Every structure is written in structure tokens, then in C-alpha cells.
């Protein structure tokens, strides 16, 4: 399939810095559901190209006349030259992220309006009984958006239009990674999605409801849109989350204990218990239940489905399905699996065309190494421990 991809370099104010990058030899980028995406491309290190690859600049990947991914340059230039392998100008490899990576650099302040030196002790940022979209937008807005302190605002960053998605939930957070907190709220508040999108003058953050496309977004050998598939189903790592609230600071009441469970998974497989330290002394606002729901969602019997799909006129990534949407894959032995699109990986070269790989499965169906998952969990726990 012919490559319909264009690469533009802009500055942090989204002003295009020159002609579209030409002569690139390889593009590799991955979009992720409720996670920062990333990518890289190789191009001859000509002076006109190198002049654009400056710290603070951004890359916009345009596919089929629409923005596929946009974000800051993480490694503006990784240059190599040799008389035998890279003659002439040499080669530069450029690595970049999407704009969620910038949001991921923030933590939740308990009192966002105060300076860092004036943060209040033994205080959490708490929002209760509110729509998940509202909570996520509030956290983003007050920590790095237009309502944040001036030194914390992301340039040209704003909130997108309200989508009206999500269910009522709550959040209690202190010094946690901002995106980790947003993901926790998104899972508990109706499994909604969030993302950034770039306009001519702004980077907009918004929420959305993934679509159920199981009847229309189908991949199979018979349809000719499935090149390869690797499917793996594993036993659950937790079916019963046993949450213990913090010790009450006053009064005679003991600790509160809450249980959440995936009884269907336990009946199909077996019971697997996991102890969870809660961040509240009671479940009055649902914080303990939310912590349990997050453990259950992450530990459910994961179906990991790595597929190599081929765009057709009838079904094309980014047009007919996208991140978070529920799709169907028909396996060759007659079983159909329906689950969420977790990531979409675009590879392109001018000579061989485009290849799109889609990762479908549970929240644990991820390419992150186990150490990355462990560090995320540890960071969340340490953020809560400070006020104990």
C-alpha cells in the first residue's frame, strides 16, 4: 500500500519550522489507550533537516491528511556516520512522544493553588461523588492546564469540549503521578478514555467514550485484513481484592475492611486473593471500593492478542476504529475474541508501505516490562504513604 504519511516539525508554539521532512527511510510510532504514545524516524542528516531538530520542538505525524500523532521531540538527534555504512550526510534517528507524555511529567498536588513550599500537611486532593470526566478534567486543569499555577502550565494547552461521558466516582490523591490517577478514575468511572489532540494553535485534552464496534470492526483471515495473530489467555492474578482502610486518627472505631470480587473469574478459574492498602479510613466516599476495582481490573484473566492487521477500504485504523474501542478478532480455530484496542502501532517505509499492528486485550495486555508495572504501583503507594 502506498505510504500516505507526512512529517512536520513545529516549535513549542505549533509554528511549522520548515518544509515537510523528506527522504525519511523508516517511521515507527505507537499510540496507546490512556497512555503516552511514542515513535521514531530515520532521515539523512542534511543541514535543512538538522536545523529543524532543535530541543523544545515537536513532530506531527500526518496520515491520510489527518494528525496521527503529535508531540515533543524526546531525542532530537541521534546521529551516526561512517564511511562504509552511512556515507554522505550520515543518518539521524529522531525519537518523540505524544502530548500525553508531557502531562505524564506531573504529579497531583494536594493543594494545587498553593506554591510547592506552601503545600498543606496531612492533606489530600479529594473530589467525591462526581462524574469521572469532570474529575479527570479538574485534575488535569489544576495541575498543568489553564487553571494551574503559572509555572506549571503547559504552553498552548487547553481543555477540549466536554464529552458528557463517564459515571459517578471519587478520587483521593496526594503526590501521585497525574496520569496514573486519571487512569484510576477512568477505570472506575465507566472505563472511559482520554487523549490529546492538536489543532493549528492548541493542544487539547479531552475525554471520550470508547465505542462497541464488535459487530463492524472485525478481523479475520476470511476478510483478508488479518496477516498474523498471537493469542494468549492467562489465569487471573487476583479475583478477590481485600482492602484495608487506614487506621482512624480519632475515635474508637477499628479499621474498615472492604472486599471487591470478580466472581465469574473465580468460578471459571479459582479464587486468588490480594491484600490492598486503602488510602482512606472509611469507604464512605467509595475510595476503598475504587482501589479494589482497580486491582480487579488489572488482575482479571488477561487475553493478550497481538495482531498484524491490514487496512482495507472497509476497515482502517484511525478511521473506522481507534484506541479503546471494542473490536472482534476471529481466530483460525473458530473462536472469536472481543476486547479493547490497547495500542496501534504504525510502521512505514517509502519502499514497503505501511504495516499496522494492533494490540487487543485486558489492561494487562501491554508491552510494558514487569519492572515498569511494578515501579508504577510502587510510586502510587509511596505517594499515599507520606501522610500515614
Amino acid at each position: 500500500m502506498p505510504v500516505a504519511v507526512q512529517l512536520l516539525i513545529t516549535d513549542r508554539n505549533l509554528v511549522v519550522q520548515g518544509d515537510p521532512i523528506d527522504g525519511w527511510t523508516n517511521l515507527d510510532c505507537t499510540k496507546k489507550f490512556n497512555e503516552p504514545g511514542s515513535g521514531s524516524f530515520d532521515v539523512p542528516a542534511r543541514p535543512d533537516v538538522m536545523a529543524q531538530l532543535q530541543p523544545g520542538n515537536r513532530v506531527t505525524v500526518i496520515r491520510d491528511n489527518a494528525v496521527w500523532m503529535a508531540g515533543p521531540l524526546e531525542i532530537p538527534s541521534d546521529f551516526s556516520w561512517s564511511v562504509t555504512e552511512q556515507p554522505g550526510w550520515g543518518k539521524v534517528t529522531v525519537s518523540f512522544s505524544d502530548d500525553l507524555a508531557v502531562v505524564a511529567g506531573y504529579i497531583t498536588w494536594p493543594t494545587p493553588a498553593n506554591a510547592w513550599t506552601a503545600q498543606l500537611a496531612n492533606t489530600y486532593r479529594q473530589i467525591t461523588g462526581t462524574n469521572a470526566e469532570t474529575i479527570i478534567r479538574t485534575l488535569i486543569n489544576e495541575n498543568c492546564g489553564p487553571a494551574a499555577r503559572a509555572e506549571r502550565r503547559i504552553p498552548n494547552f487547553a481543555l477540549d469540549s466536554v464529552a458528557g461521558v463517564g459515571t459517578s466516582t471519587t478520587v483521593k490523591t496526594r503526590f501521585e503521578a497525574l496520569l496514573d490517577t486519571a487512569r484510576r478514575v477512568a477505570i472506575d468511572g465507566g472505563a472511559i478514555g482520554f487523549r490529546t489532540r492538536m489543532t493549528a494553535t492548541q493542544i487539547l485534552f479531552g475525554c471520550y467514550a470508547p465505542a462497541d464496534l464488535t459487530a463492524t470492526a472485525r478481523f479475520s483471515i476470511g476478510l483478508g485484513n488479518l496477516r498474523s495473530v498471537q493469542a494468549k489467555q492467562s489465569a487471573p492474578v487476583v479475583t478477590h481484592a481485600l482492602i484495608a482502610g487506614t487506621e482512624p486518627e480519632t475515635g474508637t472505631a477499628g479499621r474498615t475492611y472492604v472486599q471487591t470480587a470478580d466472581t465469574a473469574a473465580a468460578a471459571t478459574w479459582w479464587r486468588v486473593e490480594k491484600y490492598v492498602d486503602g488510602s482512606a479510613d472509611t469507604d464512605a466516599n467509595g475510595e476503598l471500593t475504587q482501589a479494589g476495582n482497580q486491582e480487579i481490573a488489572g488482575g482479571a484473566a488477561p487475553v493478550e492478542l497481538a495482531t498484524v492487521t491490514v487496512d482495507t477500504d472497509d476497515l482502517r485504523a484511525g478511521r473506522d476504529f481507534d484506541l479503546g474501542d471494542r473490536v472482534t478478532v476471529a481466530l483460525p480455530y473458530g473462536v472469536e475474541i472481543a476486547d479493547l484496542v490497547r495500542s496501534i502501532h504504525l510502521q512505514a517505509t517509502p519502499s514497503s508501505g505501511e504495516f499496522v499492528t494492533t494490540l487487543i486485550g485486558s489492561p494487562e495486555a501491554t508491552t510494558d516490562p514487569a519492572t515498569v508495572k511494578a515501579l508504577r504501583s510502587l510510586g502510587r503507594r509511596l505517594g499515599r504513604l507520606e501522610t500515614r
Side-chain angles (χ1 to χ4, degrees):
M1 181 178 293
V3 176
V5 173
Q6 192 176 54
L7 305 177
L8 293 176
I9 304 297
T10 70
D11 64 13
R12 67 182 63 225
N13 294 317
L14 313 185
V15 177
V16 176
Q17 295 300 286
D19 293 332
I21 300 296
D22 65 351
W24 58 271
T25 57
N26 181 68
L27 170 68
D28 188 303
C29 59
T30 301
K31 302 194 297 183
K32 296 182 178 181
F33 179 55
N34 289 358
E35 297 263 7
S38 60
S40 65
F41 64 88
D42 297 329
V43 64
R46 303 187 313 267
D48 63 300
V49 172
M50 299 303 291
Q52 297 187 50
L53 303 179
Q54 301 300 317
N57 282 355
R58 302 164 42 81
V59 64
T60 303
V61 179
I62 299 174
R63 181 181 185 230
D64 295 337
N65 298 315
V67 175
W68 176 265
M69 180 184 292
L73 301 178
E74 283 197 330
I75 304 177
S77 63
D78 183 355
F79 174 77
S80 61
W81 178 92
S82 75
V83 70
T84 55
E85 296 181 7
Q86 302 293 340
W89 297 113
K91 182 188 75 172
V92 61
T93 298
V94 181
S95 298
F96 57 92
S97 300
D98 71 11
D99 286 306
L100 276 184
V102 181
V103 179
Y106 287 76
I107 63 173
T108 57
W109 288 16
T111 49
N114 291 2
W116 174 251
T117 53
Q119 292 300 299
L120 302 178
N122 302 316
T123 301
Y124 283 91
R125 179 65 174 105
Q126 187 168 358
I127 308 172
T128 61
T130 307
N131 174 271
E133 179 184 16
T134 301
I135 293 176
I136 293 171
R137 288 170 60 92
T138 299
L139 291 173
I140 298 297
N141 191 29
E142 67 188 17
N143 282 286
C144 63
R149 292 180 58 85
E151 69 271 18
R152 301 186 74 203
R153 293 173 196 159
I154 297 174
N156 307 297
F157 186 83
L159 297 180
D160 210 338
S161 301
V162 174
V165 299
T167 58
S168 181
T169 184
T170 187
V171 69
K172 186 177 183 181
T173 181
R174 177 181 176 87
F175 304 144
E176 292 181 81
L178 179 56
L179 276 193
D180 286 353
T181 307
R183 274 190 294 271
R184 174 155 53 91
V185 173
I187 290 171
D188 197 61
I192 64 175
F194 53 81
R195 60 194 171 195
T196 56
R197 67 181 182 92
M198 193 185 81
T199 69
T201 58
Q202 286 184 307
I203 301 160
L204 300 178
F205 176 94
C207 298
Y208 67 100
D212 185 348
L213 303 176
T214 51
T216 57
R218 299 175 59 85
F219 302 92
S220 71
I221 296 174
L223 291 173
N225 58 6
L226 187 63
R227 282 183 176 243
S228 70
V229 60
Q230 181 176 357
K232 179 177 72 174
Q233 185 171 18
S234 306
V237 297
V238 55
T239 64
H240 290 70
L242 310 176
I243 308 99
T246 58
E247 292 282 1
E249 295 181 8
T250 59
T252 60
R255 297 183 75 177
T256 299
Y257 296 94
V258 173
Q259 173 181 285
T260 61
D262 184 343
T263 54
T268 301
W269 297 87
W270 50 79
R271 182 183 177 105
V272 185
E273 297 179 345
K274 182 174 182 180
Y275 175 83
V276 180
D277 268 323
S279 60
D281 55 7
T282 74
D283 199 35
N285 294 312
E287 290 124 327
L288 302 183
T289 297
Q290 183 189 69
N293 288 339
Q294 185 180 20
E295 294 292 342
I296 294 294
V303 176
E304 299 183 33
L305 204 62
T307 66
V308 178
T309 64
V310 180
D311 282 340
T312 66
D313 291 339
D314 296 325
L315 189 61
R316 191 167 176 82
R319 186 193 69 185
D320 302 306
F321 69 93
D322 216 324
L323 296 173
D325 292 340
R326 194 172 182 86
V327 300
T328 300
V329 177
L331 302 181
Y333 52 85
V335 173
E336 292 189 349
I337 295 179
D339 218 318
L340 301 187
V341 175
R342 294 290 168 185
S343 66
I344 302 175
H345 183 194
L346 169 65
Q347 292 177 295
T349 65
S351 58
S352 60
E354 300 176 352
F355 296 93
V356 179
T357 304
T358 305
L359 182 67
I360 301 166
S362 73
E364 289 299 286
T366 172
T367 55
D368 284 344
T371 51
V372 173
K373 300 177 192 175
L375 286 172
R376 282 181 174 171
S377 178
L378 180 61
R380 183 173 66 251
R381 293 174 184 174
L382 288 175
R384 295 174 180 173
L385 186 63
E386 194 271 347
T387 56
R388 294 263 176 108

